[in-house]
């Protein structure tokens, strides 16, 4: 946002964020989206005109184990923020949603009209969040965009890399670094090579999608509400991804195949046509660039990962 000339204020509880990663000159307010009084003061004192809401818990397994926490933080925090936004007269709101709202649809390309049927509490909180954003937008005259991310990977710069080991690319890096073979959960899915097919989106493309959404809401002809998929429209199988990781890292260790995980959809690939049409945005980076950028960050942060 700052690189595009936008004036930005960040509010973060720093449970996962790091102040050192903010560009110079960007003010930081430490606090929670559950703190209504703080949110109202920040909106009023800083003259906020638009919000990009990214704060949420996002681990599927954790959501299954702690559903109340997920509803409290993901939905309750959003409700508190929207109350502050409405009171301050903020006119634009971009919400970070997820392809998890769709569940496991059996379609070649997932469009925004594909029925939503989330299969875990995380996905449920994102779908409930969308409902809440649209309702608040209609009630208070807030122009809104809900962005349904597909599988995010890569790093915009090595120093900004995610140090967690929760998604497939860092999970494979972690296995290789420990001298272990990557794991594939199920090789008997109804896909060309038997492994799950996913739509991977570079985090830098995702950032550009947020900027496009914010600017779309600032346009004179902005719609009252918009919900769009953020993906590439191209499917990559788990086996294909592991092959690319081997080429980037130089470690071509053969993966081991384990049993399927419950709830894994054989295929989940976005239709990105609406984002191109409504936001003027299209993903520009491919899987090799995602893996290469993530690997550069992994190497930089070798001793900086949770549990080490």
């Amino acid at each position: 946002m700052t690189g595009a000339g936008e004036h930005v204020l960040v509010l973060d509880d720093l449970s996962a964020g790091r102040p050192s990663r903010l560009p110079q000159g960007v003010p930081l307010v430490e606090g929670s989206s559950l703190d209504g009084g703080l949110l109202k003061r920040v909106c009023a004192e800083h003259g906020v005109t638009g919000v990009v809401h990214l704060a949420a818990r996002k681990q599927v397994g954790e959501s299954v184990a702690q559903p109340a926490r997920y509803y409290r933080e993901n939905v309750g925090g959003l409700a508190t923020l929207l109350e502050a936004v409405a009171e301050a007269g903020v006119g634009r709101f971009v919400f970070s949603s997820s392809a998890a709202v769709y569940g496991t649809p059996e379609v070649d390309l997932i469009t925004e009209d594909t029925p939503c049927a989330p299969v875990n509490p995380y996905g449920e909180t994102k779908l409930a969040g969308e409902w809440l954003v649209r309702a608040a937008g209609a009630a208070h005259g807030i122009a809104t965009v809900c962005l349904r991310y597909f599988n995010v990977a890569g790093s915009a710069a090595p120093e900004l890399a995610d140090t967690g080991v929760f998604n497939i690319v860092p999970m494979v890096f972690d296995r290789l670094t420990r001298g272990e073979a990557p794991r594939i959960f199920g090789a008997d899915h109804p896909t060309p090579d038997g492994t799950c097919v996913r739509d991977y989106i570079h985090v830098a493309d995702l950032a550009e999608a947020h900027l496009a959404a914010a600017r779309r809401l600032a346009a004179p002809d902005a719609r009252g509400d918009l919900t769009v998929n953020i993906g590439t429209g191209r499917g990559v199988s788990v086996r294909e991804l592991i092959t690319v990781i081997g080429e980037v890292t130089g470690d071509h260790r053969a993966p081991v195949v384990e049993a399927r995980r419950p709830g894994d959809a054989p295929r989940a690939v976005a239709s990105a046509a609406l984002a191109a049409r409504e936001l003027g945005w299209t993903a520009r980076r491919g899987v090799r660039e995602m893996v290469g950028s993530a690997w550069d960050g992994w190497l930089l942060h070798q001793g900086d990962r949770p549990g080490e």
Side-chain angles (χ1 to χ4, degrees), residues 191-198 200 235-242:
T191 60
D193 66 14
T195 66
C196 292
V197 173
R198 295 290 183 266
Y200 296 96
V236 177
S237 76
V238 171
R239 195 176 292 279
E240 289 171 332
L241 181 64
I242 290 175

Side-chain angles (χ1 to χ4, degrees), residues 17-308:
R18 299 182 181 183
S20 62
R21 295 189 171 198
L22 288 177
Q24 187 173 6
V26 172
L28 169 67
V29 176
E30 184 175 354
S32 168
S33 60
L34 290 163
D35 187 341
L38 173 64
L39 296 175
K40 291 174 183 178
R41 288 195 302 275
V42 167
C43 286
E45 293 173 5
H46 292 271
V48 174
T49 59
V51 171
V52 177
H53 181 51
L54 308 169
R57 304 202 67 83
K58 64 177 288 289
Q59 302 307 321
V60 169
E62 184 182 60
S63 80
V64 174
Q66 303 177 46
R69 182 184 188 187
Y70 268 65
Y71 273 86
R72 181 176 63 252
E73 297 193 19
N74 290 6
V75 181
L78 173 61
T80 304
L81 175 58
L82 285 168
E83 287 177 344
V85 162
E87 183 173 307
V90 176
R92 295 177 287 161
F93 196 94
V94 179
F95 176 59
S96 163
S97 189
S98 168
V101 300
Y102 294 115
T104 58
E106 296 181 3
V107 295
D108 286 339
L109 285 179
I110 298 172
T111 74
E112 290 79 2
D113 292 326
T114 299
C116 293
V119 296
N120 52 65
Y122 168 66
E124 292 167 3
T125 65
K126 284 301 179 180
L127 183 56
E130 289 187 7
W131 295 338
L132 181 54
V133 166
R134 295 188 198 106
H140 303 291
I142 305 167
T144 65
V145 176
C146 296
L147 301 179
R148 292 175 174 170
Y149 311 170
F150 278 65
N151 295 66
V152 184
S155 176
E159 61 271 18
L160 298 178
D162 186 357
T163 58
V165 186
F166 303 111
N167 301 315
I168 185 169
V169 172
M171 288 173 68
V172 173
F173 289 167
D174 186 56
R175 298 279 293 185
L176 295 178
T177 301
R178 297 175 188 276
E180 300 172 354
R183 293 186 295 179
I184 291 176
F185 296 100
D188 57 348
H189 293 277
T191 60
D193 66 14
T195 66
C196 292
V197 173
R198 295 290 183 266
D199 189 333
Y200 296 96
I201 177 76
H202 197 297
V203 68
D205 282 324
L206 179 63
E208 291 170 3
H210 282 83
L211 178 62
R215 288 185 167 170
R216 178 70 180 87
L217 292 181
D221 61 340
R223 285 175 49 181
D225 71 87
L226 182 65
T227 299
V228 294
N229 290 335
I230 301 298
T232 66
R234 299 183 297 275
V236 177
S237 76
V238 171
R239 195 176 292 279
E240 289 171 332
L241 181 64
I242 290 175
T243 297
V244 173
I245 292 174
E247 293 169 354
V248 169
T249 64
D251 190 327
H252 298 277
R253 204 181 310 260
V256 296
V257 176
E258 300 185 4
R260 291 188 190 188
R261 295 181 300 188
D264 270 349
R267 178 181 173 86
V269 180
S271 167
L274 187 63
R277 186 166 66 250
E278 290 286 348
L279 304 181
W281 171 90
T282 302
R284 300 187 292 116
R285 300 162 180 87
V287 171
R288 184 174 293 273
E289 191 170 351
M290 293 179 217
V291 172
S293 65
W295 181 239
D296 289 342
W298 180 267
L299 293 176
L300 179 65
H301 296 286
Q302 271 294 289
D304 197 25
R305 299 195 304 278
E308 298 192 3

